[in-house]
Amino acid sequence: KVITKGSGSFNATVIDTLGNEHEVHVTYKGYSDPGICSGPVERCYPPEGEIEILSVEGLPEGVQLEEGTEDILEDLAWHELYEWAGE
């Protein structure tokens, strides 16, 4: 069982509500615990994890991002977290 914990940053291209692309720098932190799904019942617990976007830098003031962008950035942060951990 390996608990992955870390923080980092990455660059991404996001789209605003007007369809314009913006290059941003995203900072995140998170963890992933695969849980224990076998063995004695009293030792088992489900997998869990959390990712938090700490900042998105590089957007002009007042720009609104397309709906769903936060979910996409969280998915990218998960990918970065696992890459960082060597998984």
Side-chain angles (χ1 to χ4, degrees):
K1 170 183 142 145
V2 176
I3 296 176
T4 302
K5 202 178 218 186
S7 61
S9 63
F10 58 93
N11 294 321
T13 302
V14 295
I15 300 173
D16 67 24
T17 54
L18 300 175
N20 300 312
E21 291 186 353
H22 301 275
E23 292 294 320
V24 296
H25 186 75
V26 180
T27 305
Y28 69 91
K29 71 176 182 177
Y31 78 95
S32 175
D33 182 342
I36 297 177
C37 301
S38 62
V41 175
E42 61 273 5
R43 293 194 54 215
C44 294
Y45 62 94
E48 65 178 0
E50 184 177 333
I51 202 85
E52 180 182 356
I53 301 296
L54 301 175
S55 68
V56 178
E57 299 172 0
L59 281 177
E61 191 171 328
V63 167
Q64 298 281 323
L65 293 178
E66 235 180 13
E67 188 174 327
T69 300
E70 188 173 323
D71 293 336
I72 293 168
L73 293 177
E74 285 180 1
D75 288 346
L76 291 170
W78 278 115
H79 177 75
E80 290 287 322
L81 179 66
Y82 288 125
E83 289 249 329
W84 173 83
E87 294 181 23

